[in-house]
Amino acid sequence: MDAILLEWGGLLIRWVHIITGIAWIGSSFYFMHIDASLKSAPDIPPGKGGEAWEVHGGGFYHVRKYLVAPDKLPDELIWHKWESYSTWASGFFLLVWVYYFSADLYLIDPAVRALSPWSAIGLGIGSLALGWVVYDRLVRSPLAKNEVALAAVGFAFIMGMAYFFQQMFSGRGALIHTGAMMGTIMSGNVAMNIIPNQKKVIAALIAGQTPDPDLGKQAKTRSRHNNYLTLPVLFLMISGHYPMTFTSPYAWIMVGFVLVAGASVRHFYNERHAGRGNLWWAWGLAAACIAAAIWLSMLSNPTGRQVLGLKRERAVKVAGSAGVPKAVDEILASRCSMCHARDPVWRGIVSPPKGVMFDSHAQIVQQRDLIRMQAVLTGAMPPNNITDMSIAERRTLAAWLAKQ
Ligand code: HEC
């Protein structure tokens, strides 16, 4: 496909995905907040719902919740399901567009596993389905009676899958599939449990029967799981833009830390909105987890040196200390400039990616920090080392950069 159309497609699908995601997460946070802040109402028996008053946009809203359902069904009901379905559909489309159409650039890293595009795509889609099946079985199993045990097994499963993806895909591909699998579980909850259960309740009411209260309880459990998964999923969705996450060999452990951090922050708000106080320790835990993830990202880089120990690179000899030495020039010309030039020669790339060009010494010096992040501190560039850059070449760049 024409490279410009490919870029535009990516931009437009991402735009839609972000909009639908905001709508879904926004409405889901909103209902969690209402649920937590319901007060008892005189005409609703305790444990069967409640009411809340809200003020917004110049008006007052009186929201009432009926568990399992009101005595008489209203004529019109507003459903909240398309936010979720359209977020999943646009996200899946974006995954196909970016990662499956350009599998060699984004999904497959021959140094990890030399998969053919079709087997990589099959593996990716298969794991999304597998994630849902395993989660759904877990929630229906006797284990689910114990919430802590279920959370521990679910946590181990997600980390295990992140590790598995890291053995199969590029770093970016691994993190995006971990996030996509969790997002699929969340949307699966809406499509396969929450909405069908709601429909069963309505059908029972119309038939004049008493609906099974367990249906509502199941839906609430699934919706709570979604709530705790939301923040970690968002992190994983944007992590592909930050090489210090996706190029780290410890990325799967970072996933674990991010899961705990995101869930703690949600927990803080869930408890606060329910009037059970401010659990400040949840923020402390989240901060400790993020600090641990940052530390992990510093533990390794492609030159085989600890990032914090980069100063040692000064020992490597690079001719000339000012400007751009010939060795550096040659490395950039032979490993990067086929894509990063005003007129790239790499098939499928029509303009320099992200506007990064190495046509003149001035440009190279100006972009030295970007070069350091992409090719020395992390191995994000060349993408999946597609132009076979050697570790010695990265060290030469590091030595030059240390003098800048
Ligand atoms: C096969 C083509 C290709 C080669 C070779 C290549 N890059 Fe890139 N580069 C890309 C693409 C595609 C992107 C945009 C990545 C994205 O969308 O996140 C990019 C992005 C970048 C960025 C911007 C990152 C950002 O998000 O700000 C820098 C800096 C960079 N490359 C440096 C390099 C260096 C240094 C080399 C050589 C060691 C190199 N690239 C080799 C294709 C290439």
Side-chain angles (χ1 to χ4, degrees), residues 105-106 172 240-241 332 335-336 338-340 346 349 353-354 356 358 370-371 374-375 381-383 386-387 389 394 397:
L105 213 52
Y106 289 119
R172 268 200 174 104
H241 302 278
L332 295 181
R335 306 295 179 207
C336 318
M338 50 285 268
C339 299
H340 292 288
W346 195 270
I349 292 195
K354 297 272 157 100
V356 173
F358 303 131
L370 285 175
I371 299 176
Q374 302 286 329
M381 287 290 142
I386 208 160
T387 50
M389 188 171 186
R394 291 188 198 273
L397 288 186

Side-chain angles (χ1 to χ4, degrees), residues 177-189:
H177 276 89
T178 311
M181 185 189 77
M182 289 159 66
T184 302
I185 290 175
M186 292 169 64
S187 247
N189 274 336

